[in-house]
Each structure stands twice: as C-alpha cells, then as structure tokens.
Amino acid sequence: MRQFLTFAFIFLCFHSFAQFPTGGRPSGANMNMGRFYGKIVDSKTNKAVEAASIQLIQNKLDTVTKKRKDVVISGQLTKGNGDFSLEGLPVMGQFKLRITAIGYLLYEQPLKFDIKMNGNDFSSMLNNIDVDLGNIRLEVDAKQLEEVKVVASKPFMQMGVDRKIFNVEKNLVSTGQTASELMKNIPGVDVDIDGNVSLRNASPTIFVDGRPTNLTLDQIPSDAIQTVELITNPSAKYDASGGMSGIINIILKKNRKAGYNGNLRAGIDSRLMPNAGGDINIKQDKVNLFASAMYNQRKSIGQGNSIREEFFATPTIRYDQTNNPRSTGFFNFNRAGFDYFVNNRNTFTLSGTYVQGKFDNTDLLSIRTDTLLNSGTKSIFSERSTGSSFNFNNAGAALGYKHLFSKKGMELTADFNYNNSTNKSDGGFKTQYFDLTKQPKGLLIDQTQNGKGSNTFYTLQTDFTLPISEKSKMELGARAAIRDFQSKNLNYIFNFALGDYISITSINANYKFNDKVFAGYATYSGVIGKKLNFQAGMRTESSTYSGVLLDSLDQPTDKAFSNSYPFSLFPSLNLTYQISSSQDLQFSYARKINRPNFFQILPFVDYTDSLNISRGNPGLIPEFTNSAEINYQVSFKGNHSLLVSGYFKQTDNLITRYQVKEPSSIPGKDILVNTFINANSSRAYGLEVTSRNPIAKWLELTTNLNFFNSSINSSNLDVNLNNSLWSFFGKINANFKLPSNFTLQLSGDYRSKSILPQSSGGGFGGSGGRGGGMGGPPGGGGWGGFVQTSAQGYIVPNYGLEFALRKDFLKDKRGSITLSMNDVLKTKVYGSFSESPFFTQTNSRRRDWQVFRLNFSYRFGKVDASLFKRKNTRSGMDGMQEGM
C-alpha cells in the first residue's frame, strides 16, 4: 500500500511540474492529498466529545472583490467516539483549525503540512501530508453551562410566522388542573361551562403535538402542557376541515437537554381532592427518553336554573327547572416515548399515551310545570334524582421519522398516529310527580340506562420540503385519516306489575359508523425584493361517511346509510411585508370546509330526553368558509409588543340547529324535534388587539381585546333566524415579581352580550369539550340545564377573576409552592336566552366557584456538556455548510 501511495505521489508531483513550461513549483490546487485527523475530548473528564463542529479555514484571494478572506475548505461533526478526519486537503499553504461545541470554549490552532524534499525519500513526504493531531482537549465554558442550568424565562406570549405561541408554564392559576381550565387563561380563547372552547366566537379544531386527537381537554393535565399555539387562519398545509375558527395546537412537554432532568408535583384543593405527578427526561448517546404521569382527583359542584315557555300548542306550558349536579372521580394521564438519533440526518420518534378515569355523578332536578288555561294555571311538581357512573380509557401511539438531506433545508417527515378510546356508563333516573300539597301523584318512574362506546382514529401523514433556491422552497404533503366509531345506549323502565325492568326500545340506540378523509397539499414560498415574503398553497380533500344501526346482538340491520363529499380545492395565500426591523404587516387568505358529522346526519330520532327530542338530517351539505386576516405587528423598546388583527369570515350553507313541529304518537298532541339545516350564510368580522407590556422589572401585562360582529342570514328558511350583534371579549394577565422570590398572577376576563354560537362545529370533538369525558349526565341536556336549541338568541354578559401566588425556594429555585383560586368574585355565571316561534328559554348556570388549590413542585436535573448531541448542534452544522 505504501509503495502504491509513493508511486501516486511521484506521479502527481511530476504531473504538476509538467504544467509549468518554465519549470516552476507545483500548484497546491493540484495536490489535494492532505489529511488532518484526531480526537476531541473533554479536558477534565477525558471523555469523547460527540458532535463537535470541526472547520478548516484557509485565507484566500476573492477574485471578485480582489481582497483576501477566510474560507472554510473542509469540515464535519465528530463521531460518537470523538474522532474526526479531514481529507482531500491541499498540501500547500497555511490553515486554521476551528473547533466549537456546546458547553465548551472555542478552540483554534494554526496548521500546515511540513513538506520537505529529502532526496528521494518520498515515504517521508507521505508521512508529512497525513498528520495525526492527537487528542485535542476542549475546556468547559463555565459561563455557558451556567446559562444552561438556569433556563431563561420565556415571555408568556410569543409571535410565530402564522401563529401566537403561549408558554403556559408561566401560567400559575391553572397549576394542578386540566387543559380546560388552562384554556380559560389563554388570550383570545373562551371556554364555557361545559368545557367547549371557542376562538373568535367559533369552535376550533383541537390538535395535540400537531395531530388531531380523541382526548378531551378535561383528560389532559395542564402540568403536562409546554405551549399552546393559536393558528387563527391555517394555510393549505393544515386540514381544511374545522371551518370557522382555526386550530388550537397543544404541545406536550418533551425536553431535549443533555443529561437528565425532570419535575415532581403534588397538590390538594379546598374540597380535599389531591393531585400528583411528575415527568423525567434522559438524553444520552443516541437516545432521548421522556416520560410523564399525572393523577388527579376532582369534585365538581354546579347550580342551574332554566325557564322555558312552550306555545306551539294549546294550552301554553311553562317549565321552571332547578338542579344541583355533583361529580366526583379521578383521571390519570401517562405518556412515554423516545427519540432515536440514527445519525446526523435520520431520527425516529416513538411515543405513547394512556389515559383512564372514572366519575360518579348525582343530580336532583326539580321541575315545576305550569299549564296556562283560560280558567287559570294548573301546576304540577316533579323531582328527578339522577345517579350515574362513567369511566373511560384512551390509548394512543405515534411513530415519526425525519430525514435531513445533504442539501440545506431539504427534509422528509412521515408520521403514523393511532388513538383508541372506550367508555362505559351506567345510570338511573327516578322521577316522582307531586300535587300542590307536595303529595306524591302516581307511581315512581324508575328508569335505568346502560351505555358503552368506542372511537378509533388512524392518521398517516408525510411532508416533504424542497428548497428551490436560497430564498424559495416548495412543500408537499399527503394525509389519510380514518375513524371507526361505535355507540350503544340501552334504556329500561321498571314495570311494577312484572317486578322487573323492561327495555324501552323506542329510545334505545345502537350504531356504528366509519369516516375517511384523504388530502394532499402543495405550497410554494419565496421572497420578492428584500422585504416581501409570500407563500401560496393549494389543498385538496375528500371524505366519505358510512353508518348502520345494529340490533341487540350488535349485528348490522337493514337501516344503513352513507354520504360522500367529493374532492374540493382549498387555496391559501400568506404575505408578510417587513416594514422595518421592528414591525411587519401580514395578510392571509384561506378557504375551509365544515362537513356535517355523523350525529348531524343520523336520520333516526333520539327520544332519550323527552324535552329535547333530536334527529339528524341526511340531506345536509358541507359549509364552506372564506377567511381573510390582516395583522400588524410592532416591537418597541423595553420588549413591548403589539399585534393588531383584522379578520373577516364568510360561511355559505351554514349548518345550524333548527326546530320542527311534528305530531306525536298521542292524538292531538304535537312535539318539537331538534334537527339541523343549512341556512343561507353567516358572517363574522372583527378587530383583535394583543399586547405584551413589561411595565417594570416587577410587572408584566398581557392584554387581549376582541371586538367582533356575528350575523346569520336564514332567509331561505320558513322561520326567520336572522340575527346580528356587535360584541366585545377581553382578557388580561398580570404577573407581579415580588420580593423574596414571590410571584403573583392575576387573570381576568369579560364577555359582553354576544350571539349564540352560529354552528355546532362539524368535527368530532372539534371544540375539545367534555363530551361526556368528565361524566356528564346521561341523555340529552347540557351540564345542569336544557340544551341550546336555536340559533336565535344571545349569551348574557359575564366576567371573572382568578389569582395565583407562587413562592420559589431551594437552590436555583428548584422548589416552588403555588396557591391559586378560581372565580374569586363568584361572578362567573353562564346565562343565555334563546327563542323560536315555538318557545322562549333562559338558562343560568355556574360551576366550581372559589376553589382553592395548593400545589408543590420540585425540579431536578444534571447537565453534562459531553452529552450534547447532533440534534442540538444542527444549527452549528448549518452554519458550517453555509461557510463552505
């Protein structure tokens, strides 16, 4: 081998000399046979330093500027054992070796190949162009490590390119609670008493880690959440379904700091309900492990009052209903997974979640029924005691793959997500009627209800990013989502003659359905001039539904139906103009779709609640929304920032609730059936202002104000449901840094009179509401009141205040105790008024007011600079490639 290399060197030298007719010295450009190699180690521990950035720099003449400058001629990242080898180097000239690694001081060393002509000793020459630099020892950067240990405090709100990002770890008032309570403190987000979320007065789609989920917000602990992202006008890259309001993306905690770190938590509330949990992250070699667990006991107390007057038949009937629901139970949340860094360019991620819970519910419903006759009022009283038990299980898994190509910015990702949830409920109703003297009238009506269901969701998605030039790129992707759903609800009534329960077949429900959504998208991004960035995109989606009623043995019957929605196109456009380094202007447009869900098109009558009989409408068609938004963002001195957003949404074929009067099985008596229908259109527009203001070192304010108008045009219907109203919604979060490591947080919100939600939200669980997840009462009706049955009406103004006080202690503030209280002023009352040609109805409800919570948290961890891995130094590699 040495003889071959000697011969090659002689030939190369002879060839180089031959290029010069005057017999000059050989050109270094033609002698790229040099090699520097060695090993990078920690100066104290002598451990190998992986993923250190190695750069070899040479000073060259720039032929354009005629000036000399440093140029990176070779580079790489060290291997797991710290080795590096720079090959194919010019043997002439002088060089500078530059080594950087996270947690270490910069290392630089001048280098050159010491080539001397010793007669015909070419072996000696070869030794001099193959240089072993030995073990290069890096000194630990004590200052940088200190910065790693004490994590800088992120602001509560940050602005992304197309989203607002809220670092909810700074939110104290929701410590030890669930995502439902946490959302109440996110600017721009509103949560009602049933846990249903609205964003700009419409239901958003809930994502977890960028993917749809079967989890409800009440099944996700707030302490497991790292950030919440609000994407108010998603581009073509995201699902077109969801219609009116965009996406709320919940990012769960997963740390990638080298070494190990974690958190332990425990707490209790004023109702003596405990909670406990913890998370840990370990990163070493090529694996990053993460795990978290949370256990939470809850006791929920409510009050409700509803007054409803029906005048669609003679005589008029008035219902006055009060109730006091209670719910006690627990849920636990478990999550674990790992990242496996195969090499610099390939990463696999596998994670899984498991959630389970059980809640026992009781309620005493008192109803006074007044029949308004010409001769006077005839009254009857009834009491319905309810007892039910609800338990659920949810298991999910996600597998992700990411490949980085050698071309900068070019990458391929693929994800598979699986989620399965099951639930089971057992409940009973005991109804007794009384006369005016409170004496029982008639026999006790004893009913029981047994239900169970399952929901399985599969999602497969792949995305590819292709840089076209330094300032432009194309993104392509495809997605398939498949859902299998089954529900069984059996009702029984006690027959005193038989002494046993008999089935009420008229109100039993047993069915299953399947829906599929297939989509593909393409976006192109670029820069025009120096200040205008753009992204144009197109997405196409198609979906199908198929469902069938099952018999008592869960076998399909002849009552089957299906519906399909062909491929539709959904364009999007995003423009960003940078006015200056501190301000920019953004414009976005997108077209969205809201498809009717299974329950809205199910053509069978649900008699479960005699006061809220419902039936789907298989003739529903999707609603399409054109959404435009313009944003002005500016940053001021002192870290002050302001975001002003104007938005407009036009929805055609709006899916809305509707009531029809139909004859009942009792001759001469009519009933009201709640169903769904496509109204002409709806329109929403408004102005939203979000600001972050560090007033002083000890005070920071985050304010959100939203002025909006919502209107419905239902001129195509027999009944006029036209409605329009200007409304106002505002939130403010104030953080006070007090002496002795105390922090006080106040959070307040106010909602003015506003129109009832325009649509029920076509997506399954789209708004992230409880959906029974926390054990709502069986049968129809909201938590503590009648269901809203018409689009005509309004929500009564309400406001509330929450506070939290935290004390940090121990070394590096590793320990903290937080005391919080919700609805401090006991003003959070959810009231509404609705009407139709058949009835008027008012509701007033409250839930869980003035609850104290005390929580303890302890953070632990150790950072080892030698454990920083390739994924953390990707930015360093990118910088090195740019230099080359």
Side-chain angles (χ1 to χ4, degrees), residues 255-270:
N255 210 325
R256 286 200 175 103
K257 292 179 183 177
Y260 69 91
N261 52 82
N263 187 294
L264 296 175
R265 303 176 297 273
I268 193 168
D269 65 23
S270 54

Side-chain angles (χ1 to χ4, degrees), residues 524-583:
Y524 178 78
S525 306
V527 180
I528 300 176
K530 295 183 179 181
K531 294 188 175 183
L532 181 61
N533 294 268
F534 71 90
Q535 182 194 74
M538 182 66 73
R539 185 180 186 92
T540 181
E541 284 191 0
S542 175
S543 69
T544 60
Y545 289 92
S546 61
V548 62
L549 290 187
L550 307 176
D551 60 23
S552 59
L553 300 177
D554 295 339
Q555 296 301 309
T557 67
D558 57 353
K559 294 182 178 180
F561 67 98
S562 62
N563 212 336
S564 63
Y565 307 102
F567 282 100
S568 300
L569 297 178
F570 304 95
S572 69
L573 177 66
N574 294 75
L575 302 173
T576 301
Y577 180 75
Q578 186 177 8
I579 300 173
S580 67
S581 59
S582 61
Q583 55 183 329

Side-chain angles (χ1 to χ4, degrees), residues 302-377:
Q303 293 178 349
N305 176 258
S306 298
I307 298 176
R308 172 172 168 138
E309 192 167 301
E310 296 180 349
F311 37 80
F312 63 89
T314 303
T316 297
I317 299 177
R318 185 176 185 267
Y319 301 94
D320 190 340
Q321 169 182 302
T322 60
N323 65 324
N324 296 275
R326 301 287 189 273
S327 178
T328 304
F330 77 93
F331 79 98
N332 67 72
F333 177 93
N334 307 276
R335 180 172 179 260
F338 66 89
D339 301 310
Y340 177 62
F341 311 118
V342 181
N343 50 39
N344 292 340
R345 294 175 180 164
N346 295 279
T347 303
F348 286 95
T349 299
L350 178 65
S351 64
T353 58
Y354 179 72
V355 183
Q356 68 169 161
K358 180 181 179 181
F359 287 85
D360 296 318
N361 312 290
T362 61
D363 193 6
L364 180 61
L365 191 67
S366 300
I367 304 176
R368 172 174 173 156
T369 305
D370 294 327
T371 304
L372 307 182
L373 304 171
N374 293 330
S375 57
T377 301

Side-chain angles (χ1 to χ4, degrees), residues 582-624:
S582 61
Q583 55 183 329
D584 57 51
L585 192 64
Q586 298 175 338
F587 170 81
S588 64
Y589 163 79
R591 184 175 188 248
K592 299 295 181 181
I593 186 174
N594 191 20
R595 303 178 184 89
N597 65 36
F598 176 82
F599 304 100
Q600 291 172 328
I601 62 177
L602 185 70
F604 308 110
V605 180
D606 179 5
Y607 294 98
T608 306
D609 187 337
S610 60
L611 295 179
N612 290 291
I613 300 171
S614 62
R615 180 182 62 220
N617 177 7
L620 288 176
I621 60 177
E623 59 182 39
F624 289 91

Side-chain angles (χ1 to χ4, degrees), residues 5 29 33 63 103 108 136 290 362 364 367 396 450 463 483 493 504 550 557 565 574 578 653 712 807 824 840:
L5 292 175
M33 296 186 64
T63 58
E108 289 187 344
I136 299 177
F290 53 91
T362 61
L364 180 61
I367 304 176
N450 300 319
D463 302 278
R483 185 193 306 263
I493 188 169
I504 313 175
L550 307 176
T557 67
Y565 307 102
N574 294 75
Q578 186 177 8
N653 301 317
I712 299 175
K807 164 68 175 177
V824 176
T840 60

